[in-house]
């Protein structure tokens, strides 16, 4: 059996690490890298340190508008799928790469398997929400990380081919925990464990207008304790274009850094007092590590982390951030929302069974 897996972004490399290993026990996997993320610190580094197999096909799509990228990926995928003729195409998450993989496969008559299906923010203007909804409706196998995701699909009439398997990011966090613990600690930034915040920001809602960027700089400038901010290239470029980069970089509490690798990030997260983020994956990783999370948005797909008291929605609002920082804690009891660490094996087994 042959599966073509399509990846192209940092969070997809993380998800592919455990799943590619599990898949290759059962099937002939061919990996396509669309090139949506191409900066070495967002791409090559991840293949190396997470031992992800080298891509069989690199589409090299690179920078561009969402539609430019989508069009280039569809063209590239049409020729790859024509050569590989897989039994199914596997896509991850909610990016342009995800939608391109699903759409190309479906148009060419190949079944689509979606890993991290059923997530919803119910914010229709969000590019990721559009990608998720469309991809789920193009998929015949839908691998959900949580019961909330299963219920979201049911509410849209999708009940066939839905499997709750757990979260492959949880698998990854367990798989690489030991390697992460050997990475340099926060002393590299002159900080001590438990005495700093870790920040990530990359979403369009936070970076696409000068108003949003100003709000971001104000929130980060208002922090009352040191904060390490490995800056996503897209966020840095937007801040520079808006003339706000120097103001951010000179804020007394902020330590800006280039994006760091997965293992360094996991180590930095483990030792942080709290995380401030608009990332989906990082909200979950904070939960796994029992580190309080402040989500710099008004909504989240990972609602169970909020309901269980591990995550707070604070928007881009200095007052709500300050209030949350004044009372940081996580509950003692940690529910197992995200499975048992074997989501990848389960996904691979179901794929083989359902397609075989
Ligand atoms: N991450 C990383 N280095 C960083 C920031 C994040 O390795 O400097 C990892 C993080 O641990 C998580 C993934 O990137 O596994 C999340 O990706 P991102 O926030 O880009 O996407 P999202 O999860 O929001 O789709």
């Amino acid at each position: 059996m042959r599966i073509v897996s399509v990846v192209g972004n940092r969070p997809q490399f993380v998800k592919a690490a455990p799943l590619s290993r599990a898949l290759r026990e059962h099937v002939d996997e061919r990996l396509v890298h669309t090139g949506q993320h191409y900066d070495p610190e967002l791409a090559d580094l991840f293949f190396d340190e997470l031992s992800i197999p080298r891509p069989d096909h690199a589409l090299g799509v690179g920078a561009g508008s969402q539609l430019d990228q989508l069009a280039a990926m569809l063209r590239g995928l049409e020729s790859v799928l024509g050569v590989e003729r897989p039994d199914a195409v596997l896509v991850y998450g909610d990016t342009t790469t995800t939608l391109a993989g699903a759409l190309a496969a479906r148009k060419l008559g190949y079944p689509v398997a979606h890993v991290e299906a059923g997530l919803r923010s119910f914010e229709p203007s969000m590019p990721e929400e559009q990608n998720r909804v469309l991809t789920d409706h193009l998929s015949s196998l839908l691998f959900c990380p949580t019961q909330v995701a299963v219920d979201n699909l049911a509410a849209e009439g999708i009940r066939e081919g839905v499997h709750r398997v757990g979260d492959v990011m949880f698998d990854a966090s367990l798989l690489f925990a030991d390697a992460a613990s050997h990475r340099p600690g926060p002393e590299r930034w002159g900080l001590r464990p438990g005495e700093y915040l870790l920040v990530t920001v990359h979403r369009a809602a936070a970076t696409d207008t000068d108003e949003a960027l100003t709000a971001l700089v104000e929130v980060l400038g208002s922090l009352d304790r040191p904060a390490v901010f490995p800056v996503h290239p897209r966020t840095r470029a937007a801040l520079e274009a808006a003339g706000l980069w120097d103001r951010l970089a000179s804020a007394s509490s902020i330590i800006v850094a280039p994006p760091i690798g997965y293992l360094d990030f996991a180590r930095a997260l483990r030792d942080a007092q709290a995380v401030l983020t608009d990332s989906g994956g990082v909200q979950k990783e904070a939960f796994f590590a029992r580190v309080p999370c402040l989500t710099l948005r008004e909504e989240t797909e990972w609602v169970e982390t909020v309901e269980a008291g591990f995550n707070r929605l604070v928007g881009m609002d200095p007052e709500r951030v300050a209030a949350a920082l004044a009372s940081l804690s996580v509950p003692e009891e940690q529910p197992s929302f995200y499975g048992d660490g074997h989501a990848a094996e389960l996904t691979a087994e179901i794929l083989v069974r359902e397609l075989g």
Side-chain angles (χ1 to χ4, degrees), residues 281-295:
V282 175
Q283 291 175 58
K284 281 185 288 176
E285 288 168 345
F287 172 82
F288 306 152
R290 298 183 53 80
V291 171
C293 183
L294 277 55
T295 295

Side-chain angles (χ1 to χ4, degrees), residues 89-327:
V89 174
L90 185 118
V91 296
Y92 294 90
D94 56 21
T95 71
T96 304
T97 290
T98 317
L99 178 59
L103 192 53
R106 185 66 190 262
K107 287 280 178 201
L108 295 169
Y110 300 105
V112 179
H114 185 202
V115 174
E116 214 177 68
L119 274 294
R120 296 290 183 267
S121 66
F122 302 102
E123 178 49 73
S125 63
M126 186 182 179
E128 293 88 346
E129 183 78 352
Q130 298 160 6
N131 296 334
R132 291 178 193 124
V133 172
L134 292 167
T135 299
D136 284 337
H137 286 263
L138 292 165
S139 299
S140 44
L141 282 171
L142 300 101
F143 295 105
C144 295
T146 60
Q147 187 57 40
V148 173
V150 174
D151 296 343
N152 287 339
L153 292 176
E156 292 175 22
I158 304 178
R159 293 188 181 82
E160 294 278 300
V162 176
H163 302 270
R164 180 179 170 187
V165 289
D167 192 310
V168 288
M169 280 191 125
F170 182 43
D171 295 15
S173 76
L174 298 176
L175 191 60
F176 298 111
D178 185 52
S181 71
H182 292 98
R183 304 299 299 180
E187 296 76 18
R188 64 195 285 194
W189 295 297
L191 298 168
R192 283 202 296 252
E195 294 185 1
Y196 66 94
L197 307 171
L198 182 63
V199 180
T200 82
V201 175
H202 71 86
R203 286 204 186 286
T207 61
D208 276 8
T209 63
D210 285 3
E211 208 184 352
L213 290 162
T214 304
L216 169 64
V217 173
E218 275 166 13
V219 164
L220 298 184
S222 74
L223 297 175
D224 63 355
R225 60 201 88 180
V228 176
F229 183 16
V231 188
H232 195 288
R234 157 205 179 107
T235 308
R236 177 163 184 156
L239 286 164
E240 283 176 349
L244 290 167
W245 174 256
D246 291 341
R247 196 172 138 202
L248 175 78
S250 60
S252 58
S253 52
I254 301 294
I255 299 166
V256 290
I260 50 183
Y262 178 81
L263 301 177
D264 283 357
F265 190 83
R267 174 67 203 262
L269 173 57
R270 194 189 72 175
D271 288 338
Q273 194 182 30
V275 174
L276 277 69
T277 190
D278 67 355
S279 157
V282 175
Q283 291 175 58
K284 281 185 288 176
E285 288 168 345
F287 172 82
F288 306 152
R290 298 183 53 80
V291 171
C293 183
L294 277 55
T295 295
L296 301 166
R297 294 170 50 193
E298 300 297 345
E299 75 293 306
T300 179
E301 300 75 28
W302 305 103
V303 285
E304 55 285 320
T305 61
V306 176
E307 283 158 12
F310 287 80
N311 187 3
R312 284 207 235 175
L313 299 177
V314 293
M316 266 314 163
D317 181 341
E319 281 177 20
R320 284 156 72 194
V321 169
L325 287 177
S327 62

